[in-house]
Amino acid sequence: MRITFFGATGTVTGSRFLVEHQGLRILVDCGLYQGLRKLRLRNWAAFPVKPASVDAVVLTHAHIDHSGMLPVLVRDGFKGPIFCTEGSADLLRILLPDAAHLQEEEARYRNKEGLTKHNPALPLYTAADSDAVLGRLQPMPEHVAIDLGKGLTATYQNAGHILGASSIRFEENDNSVLFSGDVGRKSDPVHLAPEKAGNADVLVMECTYGDRLHGDEDPAEELLTAVLRTMERGGTLVIPAFAVGRTQIILHLLAELKRAGRLPDIPVFLDSPMAIHTTDVLFKSPGAHRLSHEAVCRIRDLVQFTPTPEESKALTARPGPKIVVSASGMASGGRVLHHLRRALPNRKDTVLLVGFQAAGTRGEALENGSPTVKIFGLDIRVECEVTRITSLSAHADAEELMQWLSETGKPRQTFLVHGRPTGLQAMADRLLEERGWDATIPEFGDSFVVS
Ligand SMILES: [Zn+2]
């Protein structure tokens, strides 16, 4: 077997790994690059393997940095099945059309404003391209071996993280290769705890937080503090949150604070069509998450949804106090930009960051205390309070990754991906020191024979 690394090398986006076995070519994830321009340009380059030569895709989970290039793969000639879990299929039906919509919007904007060297600027892919992917999905249950041919199977095991997220174990004869996917946390309020990794001959592991520990503060308390401080000023609390996963956690925490009688009367709005649809999936898929039916109902009772553009516009203009949860989580696009444009120059308001902020995003600029942020071509002054919840993450931290591996014997080979260079190196050092494992940090295009 051979593994080639076409993404998430030295960075956290663009996950794509090619597994080759006796002439079979299986792509593990097909992610979009996000963040820095030099990485995003890779989305436009010819796909690193000929799409028609790939036999199947096995997807770890629905996040766009793992799935967002599927429309290009299918459009450019891939003819095989796309395996994923039921939960991932539910989310892909929401995420991929949205991703296509954003691509089309950006092309339209560039053409309108003349911000393009191309004539005309074209979207990376269209809604029709993303629809073609949805017809190709083959949802599979966990712990059932998927026969890929030539004696190779793939099996899903739960990774926590978001609905449907899984690790993938490839097996042929006595060899096993485990791709971690994105590993979640035992303490996640909404999503299931990840299963232990188990033994594998070859391990490919994410290291998003390979050099960090999440705070042990109670996220509900941190959230409540931000709410109360903003209310005192009569302001608006804007929470940029990933539509899938993080939004549902924030809403659940608010609903439980309300139930405990600790959340004062303040209207809570969810202003993201995608997040609204994803919140509906909680109702549809009991058992795929930790929340009881009653807990999901409490979210619905508390939160006002603003699906239409008109409702969204009216909400932006509505004075505080209020709480607005809106996407995107790194303020790289979406309706949250309208709320930020209003809130950032306003000393009464608060922007609460609740997730990972990738390099080059507005979210990262805000996190680093930038005095201005560019929105819709305008330099917006940052006068409002900017704060963050430190203890909330969909990703295991360094300690939790070690716990995930606690029942795993020494693999023959270990590869570390999906992290910043410092996180990857810190995890490599730690694995060597504590477990005696020699880990490799692959670079883009590196290829290894693993059995
Ligand atoms: Zn993810």
Side-chain angles (χ1 to χ4, degrees), residues 201-221:
D201 297 300
V202 178
L203 172 70
V204 180
M205 186 172 81
E206 70 114 324
C207 296
T208 313
Y209 289 106
D211 57 346
R212 293 196 203 175
L213 297 178
H214 300 313
D216 52 10
E217 295 82 3
D218 182 345
E221 298 302 324

Side-chain angles (χ1 to χ4, degrees), residues 61-66 161-162 165 181-182 394-395 418:
H61 66 294
H63 271 150
I64 286 300
D65 61 315
H66 294 256
H161 186 57
I162 60 167
D182 287 2
H395 286 272
H418 201 289

Side-chain angles (χ1 to χ4, degrees), residues 229-288:
R229 244 193 341 251
T230 310
M231 274 190 86
E232 263 173 38
R233 298 192 295 257
T236 295
L237 175 62
V238 179
I239 308 179
F242 304 99
V244 172
R246 191 56 41 85
T247 290
Q248 289 72 36
I249 293 176
I250 294 294
L251 299 182
H252 169 62
L253 294 177
L254 288 169
E256 294 310 298
L257 285 166
K258 182 81 181 172
R259 176 161 85 126
R262 302 184 61 206
L263 185 74
D265 275 332
I266 178 168
V268 180
F269 297 93
L270 179 56
D271 189 22
S272 154
M274 201 175 24
I276 293 169
H277 288 135
T278 306
T279 308
D280 280 340
V281 176
L282 291 181
F283 279 92
K284 261 185 51 193
S285 315

Side-chain angles (χ1 to χ4, degrees), residues 122-352:
L122 295 173
L124 183 60
Y125 50 82
T126 64
D129 298 328
S130 89
D131 286 350
V133 172
L134 301 182
R136 209 69 79 75
L137 299 179
Q138 291 212 7
M140 294 296 293
E142 287 168 5
H143 302 295
V144 170
I146 305 166
D147 184 1
L148 298 167
K150 305 270 169 78
L152 182 69
T153 61
T155 308
Y156 282 120
Q157 59 189 61
N158 196 291
H161 186 57
I162 60 167
L163 287 169
S166 298
S167 306
I168 301 168
R169 176 181 299 276
F170 287 94
E171 286 176 300
E172 56 95 16
N173 285 326
D174 287 341
N175 277 304
S176 57
V177 179
L178 180 66
F179 285 85
S180 69
D182 287 2
V183 179
R185 309 181 65 198
K186 228 163 55 185
S187 58
D188 190 297
V190 171
H191 303 98
L192 301 170
E195 287 176 41
K196 294 274 186 187
N199 287 322
D201 297 300
V202 178
L203 172 70
V204 180
M205 186 172 81
E206 70 114 324
C207 296
T208 313
Y209 289 106
D211 57 346
R212 293 196 203 175
L213 297 178
H214 300 313
D216 52 10
E217 295 82 3
D218 182 345
E221 298 302 324
E222 293 187 281
L223 180 57
L224 184 61
T225 305
V227 173
L228 296 177
R229 244 193 341 251
T230 310
M231 274 190 86
E232 263 173 38
R233 298 192 295 257
T236 295
L237 175 62
V238 179
I239 308 179
F242 304 99
V244 172
R246 191 56 41 85
T247 290
Q248 289 72 36
I249 293 176
I250 294 294
L251 299 182
H252 169 62
L253 294 177
L254 288 169
E256 294 310 298
L257 285 166
K258 182 81 181 172
R259 176 161 85 126
R262 302 184 61 206
L263 185 74
D265 275 332
I266 178 168
V268 180
F269 297 93
L270 179 56
D271 189 22
S272 154
M274 201 175 24
I276 293 169
H277 288 135
T278 306
T279 308
D280 280 340
V281 176
L282 291 181
F283 279 92
K284 261 185 51 193
S285 315
H289 54 79
R290 291 179 198 243
L291 301 188
S292 64
H293 178 70
E294 292 71 26
V296 180
C297 289
R298 284 195 286 276
I299 292 176
R300 225 176 226 186
D301 291 343
L302 174 73
V303 181
Q304 302 178 51
F305 297 155
T306 53
T308 67
E310 295 71 33
E311 288 167 303
S312 176
K313 264 182 210 143
L315 176 63
T316 313
R318 177 186 167 133
K322 65 181 190 289
I323 300 173
V324 178
V325 181
S326 185
S328 73
M330 297 189 278
S332 45
R335 289 185 182 177
V336 78
L337 295 184
H338 296 279
H339 296 288
L340 289 175
R341 189 179 173 182
R342 285 239 167 187
L344 290 175
N346 190 341
R347 282 165 197 262
K348 287 199 290 192
D349 293 350
T350 304
V351 174
L352 178 63

